[in-house]
């Protein structure tokens, strides 16, 4: 089989049209469509390090990085070698493996609250399993989530959303019955809600990274911990983005707050499909086969994904995180300077290794949002112009105004300076467009 048949047209528009004839919207994850920014997506043929090439041979410096699943850069040799070696031994068995044990041990070692770890196939599977587990463990039904936090495509947590849902401008989604979210309470981010004894769990992105990047306010996570303890609810950190990206122990280490359950995905799969729920032993052992809360998955703990994840984690040393922090700060500074010089109002907030973006001056010059209501005031038209101008300059951002910018170990100083130079030009174009629009 040819991975890229010679007779395929090397045209984004032709291949996208053909994709649309067989795949709804031409995409397998709705946020990849250019619906929010207009135009036609580029189709990727290959990627390496900080670069992706589309089917037309155009090269982009990539800040999408699989929405954060990639942290070492694309096709990192250690990850590629681990996957290749694992593949020669078989791709899935339906029996336990040493590889999944080793990855689970590594996760547990780095994140001490994860006394037990269950691996699965996506972040969505992790959050949906955590919902079931929290309800099964506490015997309560109510779940509390925060406006603008995103926990994947699972019914109970789609009462409102950050990433895709906000971009598409829908108040939730069709197809979720009222009964599925009847026990889901959506409250504003960065305010500790008052809970009662009906609450099974509070789910939170400890650093919100699906409404731009929003830091937890001082005392917010500590307050959630105390309020959960007061009523006997579980505190669930959704670290699908922050886990193994902010640092060795994720957001809970950075902010010194211990979660009862933590969900992971993205980085721990080294770019392959993975998800994980970790947490307190007594809670985790409520999962089947030890306890009454069912969980199973044909491909869960997949040997390729666990090999890729272990290879990725092996590179993520404390000094690697130090480098990522320096680079995140540098990217933010370069983009800030580019926009300021062009007279384009924009803020690029940094939390550790994460960089966000906010366009316009609705909150006041240089002010970053602290919750979803504020994040929603971002100037989407301004982002559309900046996004397309950056693409024209050879830099790929996510096609939505509420995504993070993902800096990885492949974003060397040289790459960052090139992104900064592209941004200087793109910001002029976007500023001119904003002036023309009045
Ligand atoms: C991406 C994401 C998810 C969903 O993970 P998938 O692997 O896409 O299902 C859940 N929570 C957060 C915070 C995420 O960013």
């Amino acid at each position: 089989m040819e991975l890229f048949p010679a007779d395929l047209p090397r045209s984004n528009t032709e291949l996208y049209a053909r994709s649309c004839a067989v795949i709804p919207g031409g995409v397998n994850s709705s946020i990849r469509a250019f619906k929010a920014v207009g135009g036609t997506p580029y189709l990727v043929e290959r990627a390496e390090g900080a670069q992706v090439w589309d089917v037309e041979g155009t090269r982009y410096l990539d800040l999408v990085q699989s929405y954060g699943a990639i942290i070492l850069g694309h096709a990192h040799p250690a990850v590629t070698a681990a996957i290749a070696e694992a593949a020669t031994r078989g791709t899935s068995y339906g029996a336990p493996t040493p590889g999944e044990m080793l990855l689970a041990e590594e996760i547990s070692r780095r994140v001490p609250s994860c006394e037990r770890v269950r691996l699965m196939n996506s972040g969505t599977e992790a959050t949906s399993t955590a919902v079931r587990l929290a309800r099964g463990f506490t015997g309560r039904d109510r779940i509390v989530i925060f406006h603008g936090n995103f926990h994947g495509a699972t019914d109970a947590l789609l009462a409102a959303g950050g990433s895709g849902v906000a971009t598409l401008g829908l108040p939730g989604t069709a197809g979720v019955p009222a009964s599925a979210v009847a026990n889901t309470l959506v409250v504003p981010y960065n305010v500790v809600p008052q809970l009662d004894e009906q609450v099974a769990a509070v789910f939170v992105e400890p650093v919100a990274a699906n409404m731009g990047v929003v830091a937890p306010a001082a005392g917010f996570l500590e307050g959630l911990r105390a309020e959960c303890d007061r009523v006997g609810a579980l505190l669930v950190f959704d670290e699908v983005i922050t886990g193994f990206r902010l640092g060795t122990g994720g957001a809970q280490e950075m902010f010194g707050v211990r979660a009862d359950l933590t969900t992971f995905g993205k980085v721990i799969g080294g770019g392959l499909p993975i998800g994980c729920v970790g947490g307190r032993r007594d809670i985790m052992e409520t999962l089947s086969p030890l306890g009454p809360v069912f969980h199973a998955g044909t491909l869960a703990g997949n040997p390729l994904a666990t090999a890729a994840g272990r290879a990725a984690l092996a590179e993520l040393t404390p000094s690697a995180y130090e480098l990522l922090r320096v680079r995140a700060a540098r990217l933010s500074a370069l983009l800030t300077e580019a926009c300021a010089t062009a007279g384009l109002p924009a803020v690029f907030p940094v939390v550790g290794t994460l960089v966000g973006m906010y366009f316009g001056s609705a909150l006041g010059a240089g002010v970053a949002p602290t919750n979803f209501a504020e994040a929603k005031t971002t100037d989407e038209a301004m982002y559309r112009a900046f996004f397309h101008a950056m693409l024209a300059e050879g830099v790929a951002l996510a096609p939505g105004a509420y995504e993070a910018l993902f800096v990885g170990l492949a974003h060397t100083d040289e790459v960052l300076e090139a992104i900064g130079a592209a941004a200087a030009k793109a910001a002029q174009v976007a500023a001119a467009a904003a002036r023309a629009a009045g």
Side-chain angles (χ1 to χ4, degrees), residues 122-125 127 150-153 205 210 238 240-241 265-266 274:
S122 70
T124 294
E125 189 186 343
T127 55
F150 177 68
H151 303 295
E205 279 189 80
N210 286 285
D238 183 350
V240 170
I241 283 187
K266 299 193 171 117
I274 205 162

Side-chain angles (χ1 to χ4, degrees), residues 69-91:
I70 304 291
I71 192 167
L72 307 183
H74 295 291
H76 187 279
V79 174
T80 305
I83 295 169
E85 199 206 328
T88 64
R89 296 164 185 248
T91 53

Side-chain angles (χ1 to χ4, degrees), residues 149-387:
N149 280 190
F150 177 68
H151 303 295
T154 190
D155 283 9
L157 301 175
L158 279 174
S163 181
V165 180
T167 302
L168 297 172
L170 299 171
T173 170
V176 172
S179 59
V181 289
N183 282 303
T184 306
L185 213 67
V186 191
V187 298
Y189 194 69
N190 266 333
V191 178
V192 178
Q194 194 171 356
L195 306 178
D196 61 28
E197 266 88 18
Q198 291 181 324
V199 176
V202 174
F203 278 67
V204 64
E205 279 189 80
V207 175
N210 286 285
M211 50 169 160
V213 170
V214 175
F220 175 57
L221 298 175
E222 294 86 341
L224 289 180
R225 178 70 276 172
E227 187 62 7
C228 284
D229 288 343
R230 189 180 68 79
V231 299
L234 303 184
L235 179 58
V236 184
F237 275 9
D238 183 350
E239 297 224 40
V240 170
I241 283 187
T242 55
F244 308 98
R245 176 168 289 277
L246 280 180
T248 304
Q252 48 201 285
E253 176 185 65
M254 184 168 173
F255 295 98
V257 175
R258 194 176 173 100
D260 297 308
L261 291 177
T262 307
T263 53
F264 299 103
K266 299 193 171 117
V267 167
I268 56 161
L272 264 63
I274 205 162
C276 168
V277 180
R280 245 168 58 195
R281 177 180 173 173
D282 58 331
I283 306 169
M284 291 298 295
E285 293 191 345
T286 313
L287 281 176
S288 58
L290 297 179
V293 179
F294 182 70
H295 172 259
T298 303
L299 297 176
N302 177 263
L304 268 58
T306 54
R310 286 172 55 213
L313 291 189
E315 304 289 323
L316 293 170
T317 59
S319 60
Y321 287 117
E322 190 46 48
L323 198 57
L324 288 173
R325 275 189 287 275
V326 171
R327 288 178 177 174
R330 181 69 188 145
L331 177 67
S332 170
L334 285 164
L335 296 174
T336 302
E337 191 194 323
C339 291
T341 303
L344 188 73
V347 193
F348 300 92
V350 179
V351 181
T353 64
L354 280 166
V355 184
M357 55 186 182
Y358 174 88
F359 286 84
S361 42
L363 302 175
V367 179
T370 62
N371 60 35
F372 193 46
E374 291 176 4
K376 284 290 283 179
T377 65
T378 195
D379 189 330
E380 294 184 18
M382 198 175 277
Y383 179 66
R384 275 197 290 278
F386 185 69
F387 168 86

